[in-house]
Amino acid sequence: MSQPLLSLEGVSTHYVSQQGTRVVRAVDDVTLSLGAGETLGIVGESGSGKSTLALTLMRLLPPAARIVSGRMMFEGEDLLTKSDGEMRQVRGKRIAMILQDPMASLNPLFSIGNQVGEPIRVHEHASSSSAWQRAVRLLKSVRIASPETRVSQFPHEMSGGMRQRIVGAIGISCEPRLLIADEPTTSLDLTIQAQYLNLLRDLQREHGLALIFITHNLGIVAKMCDQLAVMYAGRMVEHGPVSRIFSAPAHPYTKALLGSIPRMADGGERLTAIDGQPPDLANLPPGCAFAPRCPAVTTRCRAEAPPQFTLEPGRGARCWLAEPLSMRSSAA
Ligand code: ATP
Ligand code: MG
């Protein structure tokens, strides 16, 4: 099999309080891989570690965060051994990210052209005028009408959907190999949402980029993604091809998530709540973190956290129920 574009092995990221007394295990021992041009959906309840995982990949974490273990291979290089300077060459150029809140990633004081052109000036050392011209073309490619006029305007002059697309244009400006989109459609109404998703898919096809799509919406996963990773309390509890997981989920948490959507084809349903509360990531129970809410819980689940069992190549689950089905000899 050819080398994947991205592979994570045992990646853990913790937030440590200033006194060092409180450790939040936001990402705990995550192992996954993604091929060139593929789309991976990451789902999970609020606070399950999705954004932290994405920021870990970008090495753009806040000061309280520590990547405590793991390897993150991207195009054959371990991102965790790179210096900050080397990471600046990767970020925005080879891996780009669209943040959860579009306004937070646009600077109100700079024109759209300036901001869309910035990665091109920085990474490709393009002149201001050629970066400006590229910005116009990029605005056009994300379907902004009258890009020649819009390019000189400022973020507050754009609608929410336009800002989102502008952030998308910044993301693809240097033609990255991997684009990470963190809840890119949350603030958009349904029509604009559908347009934006189509646009991302078109861009992906045109540029052959791999996409990591973080969302609360399983309808979007069904529509957009090849692979799915389900996060619960910082751990990836199930992963594999979307079609396989949707037809036969292995983890009770995944089953509960899928059971909460009446019709997948509708595409507009969000995850509904599952009884009980997610655990405090600074105070995880000794066994499986889902045990207190799990309908299939056993004594073993409360005592011992399950490892990641491989169900078939590229498909795994962290659940004792998956053990009898697992191929114990191969790695996930
Ligand atoms: P959402 O769906 O709400 O965006 P998420 O899955 O992206 O949630 P994260 O933002 O990754 O979740 O947060 C994971 C955990 O890390 C949460 O318990 C959160 O409280 C904690 N956390 C996030 N940022 C920090 C921080 N800067 N300092 C301390 N803890 C943090
Ligand atoms: Mg988030």
Side-chain angles (χ1 to χ4, degrees):
M1 221 168 81
S2 64
Q3 192 186 42
L5 178 73
L6 172 75
S7 76
L8 269 57
E9 283 169 40
V11 173
S12 299
T13 303
H14 299 167
Y15 293 102
V16 184
S17 66
Q18 257 178 351
Q19 298 76 19
T21 46
R22 194 179 143 84
V23 177
V24 174
R25 293 166 177 274
V27 171
D28 196 4
D29 192 21
V30 167
T31 295
L32 60 83
S33 69
L34 183 67
E38 277 187 338
T39 303
L40 168 73
I42 302 183
V43 299
E45 279 170 312
S46 184
S48 57
K50 304 178 301 293
S51 295
T52 306
L53 179 60
L55 294 171
T56 300
L57 264 169
M58 296 289 283
R59 295 225 350 236
L60 261 186
L61 290 156
R66 312 263 179 286
I67 303 174
V68 292
S69 64
R71 282 198 336 151
M72 286 195 316
M73 302 302 291
F74 178 73
E75 295 188 310
E77 297 169 347
D78 189 350
L79 297 180
L80 291 183
T81 60
K82 286 194 174 294
S83 67
D84 291 345
E86 287 168 335
M87 265 321 280
R88 277 195 288 277
Q89 297 303 310
V90 173
R91 238 181 266 130
K93 187 169 160 67
R94 290 161 63 197
I95 306 180
M97 182 163 172
I98 301 176
L99 293 174
Q100 206 159 353
D101 171 7
M103 259 335 249
S105 25
L106 292 173
N107 188 325
L109 301 177
F110 290 99
S111 68
I112 301 301
N114 190 310
Q115 298 187 62
V116 176
E118 188 187 356
I120 303 165
R121 289 196 308 274
V122 171
H123 290 297
E124 298 178 15
H125 310 291
S127 67
S128 298
S129 66
S130 74
W132 190 266
Q133 289 315 313
R134 285 267 293 280
V136 173
R137 287 204 297 277
L138 280 160
L139 292 184
K140 201 168 171 194
S141 80
V142 295
R143 325 284 190 258
I144 299 262
S146 321
E148 294 83 2
T149 318
R150 291 293 186 180
V151 73
S152 317
Q153 293 184 329
F154 288 80
H156 71 269
E157 297 173 82
M158 308 288 139
S159 72
M162 280 178 193
R163 280 180 212 142
Q164 192 57 268
R165 279 177 278 160
I166 288 162
V167 173
I170 297 174
I172 57 160
S173 56
C174 289
E175 305 203 356
R177 304 277 290 135
L178 171 65
L179 179 66
I180 305 171
D182 190 353
E183 295 267 14
T185 57
T186 320
S187 57
L188 306 179
D189 72 49
L190 284 180
T191 334
I192 307 278
Q193 195 179 80
Q195 274 176 15
Y196 188 63
L197 292 174
N198 287 337
L199 170 70
L200 279 179
R201 256 209 316 222
D202 290 350
L203 292 173
Q204 180 180 27
R205 234 174 269 138
E206 282 159 28
H207 300 271
L209 48 89
L211 198 60
I212 294 183
F213 210 90
I214 299 176
T215 178
H216 278 103
N217 188 319
L218 282 169
I220 290 182
V221 170
K223 194 169 155 195
M224 297 281 294
C225 304
D226 314 303
Q227 303 286 327
L228 175 60
V230 180
M231 301 272 299
Y232 186 80
R235 294 183 185 143
M236 194 175 72
V237 295
E238 180 156 7
H239 73 279
V242 171
S243 55
R244 303 283 298 134
I245 295 183
F246 274 35
S247 60
H251 197 287
Y253 178 62
T254 317
K255 281 184 196 154
L257 289 182
L258 290 170
S260 68
I261 329 175
R263 270 169 304 151
M264 206 58 70
D266 279 0
E269 303 292 335
R270 287 176 67 82
L271 308 185
T272 54
I274 296 165
D275 283 347
Q277 291 296 315
D280 176 2
L281 296 185
N283 205 356
L284 286 170
C288 170
F290 189 58
R293 302 167 80 184
C294 182
V297 64
T298 63
T299 321
R300 189 185 195 183
C301 306
R302 296 192 198 276
E304 218 183 319
Q308 182 164 290
F309 293 111
T310 301
L311 302 175
E312 53 197 76
R315 168 128 205 253
R318 266 182 195 268
C319 175
W320 291 117
L321 287 177
E323 188 179 23
L325 311 169
S326 68
M327 304 158 48
R328 307 212 78 194
S329 53
S330 63

